[in-house]
Amino acid sequence: MNYFEYMSGPHRQCAIVAHRGVWKDAPENSLLSIRRAIDAGYDIVEIDVRRTADGEFVLLHDETLERMTGLGREPEQMTLTELTSLGLRNRDGGPDNPVTGEKLPSLRDVFELTRDRIFIHLDIKDRHVIPEVVAFATEMGVNRQVDVWADLKTEADLHWIRENIVARDVPFIARTHLEDADWSKQVKLVFELKPLICEASFRDLSQIDSMQQRFHDAGITLWVNTLDSVASPGFTDSAALRDPDAVWGRLLRAGFSSIQTDEMAALRSYLKRDSSEASRKAAAIIESAANIDRMHDDADRSL
């Protein structure tokens, strides 16, 4: 199954998107954190991609290497060989986390690791590098196992996306910001483009509720980010740990079918409980209907 087929599947469970891999016991964006996401059976792993001085690609979120390696340089100023020799600090880096044996990984090594094992959400930090990364994924034969995303806020964005992404055989996520004053214009652009996936942030969940059927009818699946630092108001991982139904449950009922999180295990536990509860309710409805039928049969026999 490729990414297009997976996301379009009408009966799939909500996709669990592992943010920078399983990084709470491994360096973020490391091969180890990605391998642990694979071993855990998560659906998608999110990774951050930057271009090197010699036109290759490595995994790094920040503009400099300081947090994850202690080196105050920009990755774009260094070669692939220089970058992949750097040891990564554990977890989310910083001086309080020790340097590990894990090295800064190349995107090539990531694709070799993940091929046919897990889907990848590529957060490419420079939008103008996206076509190069897509070409590289195509060259490696994994372009239908990854996605790329970009903001879709203006007509200029729509034109750029059509010219540089839509024409290529790669899943695309359009990001729309419903908390912005021009949110209705952004939504109009999404329905004009009809991407495979729309990542939506919002000021009020009712905005999504009111358009849920429109997204469904357009064949657009909804993606949401519950990371504490960027989530929509009140819909954070921390809030979900306290009351998962008030956060993840409400998002699911609003139509979201992919959740990017740092709390993958907790989300999986919630989804299992939610699925079990739905099964129990369905069984109860079936049993109730069967009881009604039996009552009718008994009444007929008594006549």
Side-chain angles (χ1 to χ4, degrees):
M1 180 185 296
N2 64 45
Y3 202 127
F4 289 103
E5 294 167 340
Y6 170 71
M7 276 293 173
S8 301
H11 304 299
R12 68 170 174 84
Q13 192 177 45
C14 175
I16 300 174
V17 185
H19 177 238
R20 302 181 197 170
V22 180
W23 61 264
K24 294 191 177 182
D25 53 0
E28 69 175 36
N29 277 318
S30 66
L31 291 181
L32 179 57
S33 72
I34 296 168
R35 190 176 299 114
R36 287 182 173 168
I38 294 169
D39 293 343
Y42 297 130
D43 307 294
I44 302 168
V45 61
E46 184 266 357
I47 58 175
D48 301 294
V49 179
R50 290 190 178 274
R51 190 180 186 276
T52 70
D54 51 348
E56 301 289 339
F57 307 103
V58 293
L59 271 58
L60 187 74
H61 175 272
D62 297 356
E63 293 182 357
T64 76
L65 294 148
E66 177 64 34
R67 179 169 62 90
M68 291 309 299
T69 73
L71 184 65
R73 295 185 63 184
E74 297 177 0
E76 289 82 2
Q77 298 175 347
M78 299 175 65
T79 67
L80 179 68
T81 299
E82 291 172 327
L83 287 163
T84 54
S85 69
L86 298 175
L88 291 170
R89 287 170 167 164
N90 203 24
R91 295 170 53 85
D92 57 349
D96 294 334
N97 283 307
V99 176
T100 69
E102 288 291 304
K103 304 296 185 181
L104 192 80
S106 70
L107 187 57
R108 180 179 297 276
D109 287 342
V110 172
F111 284 164
E112 293 292 0
L113 171 64
T114 60
R115 186 190 304 275
D116 299 322
R117 301 179 71 189
I118 193 170
F119 297 120
I120 303 179
H121 174 41
L122 295 170
D123 188 349
I124 302 163
K125 309 316 289 186
D126 180 349
R127 184 174 84 164
H128 294 91
V129 175
I130 291 176
E132 295 180 49
V133 176
V134 171
F136 180 65
T138 302
E139 175 190 323
M140 291 199 65
V142 297
N143 54 297
R144 284 179 153 244
Q145 298 176 26
V146 306
D147 73 55
V148 296
W149 76 271
D151 280 324
L152 179 54
K153 303 177 75 173
T154 66
E155 291 284 350
D157 289 338
L158 179 63
H159 176 75
W160 188 90
I161 290 165
R162 281 177 166 161
E163 288 288 313
N164 294 280
I165 302 177
V166 172
R168 303 165 186 262
D169 192 24
V170 62
F172 175 66
I173 301 177
R175 185 173 180 186
T176 188
H177 301 260
L178 304 188
E179 70 275 18
D180 290 353
D182 67 344
W183 67 271
S184 59
K185 177 182 177 182
Q186 293 186 42
V187 169
K188 181 180 179 181
L189 292 172
V190 170
F191 284 113
E192 184 175 345
L193 181 65
K194 293 186 179 178
L196 176 67
I197 307 163
C198 176
E199 178 183 350
S201 54
F202 49 84
R203 66 173 183 270
D204 192 296
L205 190 58
S206 63
Q207 295 172 284
I208 302 295
D209 278 322
S210 65
M211 295 184 288
Q212 181 179 162
Q213 191 61 46
R214 286 186 66 195
F215 281 111
H216 180 270
D217 292 344
I220 302 170
T221 64
L222 288 171
W223 173 301
V224 68
N225 194 328
T226 59
L227 306 176
D228 283 357
S229 59
V230 296
S232 298
F235 289 85
T236 63
D237 282 343
S238 293
L241 293 178
R242 295 190 296 269
D243 189 346
D245 192 62
V247 177
W248 291 326
R250 288 182 65 196
L251 292 170
L252 293 173
R253 290 189 288 275
F256 287 103
S257 61
S258 299
I259 298 177
Q260 182 174 326
T261 176
D262 280 325
E263 301 294 344
M264 293 80 70
L267 174 56
R268 171 182 279 169
S269 295
Y270 174 74
L271 292 173
K272 286 182 178 178
R273 290 197 302 272
D274 189 57
S275 177
S276 297
E277 180 63 26
S279 296
R280 285 194 294 271
K281 288 180 179 179
I285 291 171
I286 293 170
E287 179 62 24
S288 175
N291 287 337
I292 291 173
D293 287 342
R294 284 193 292 269
M295 291 172 59
H296 287 165
D297 289 343
D298 291 342
D300 289 341
R301 283 194 293 270
S302 67
L303 295 176

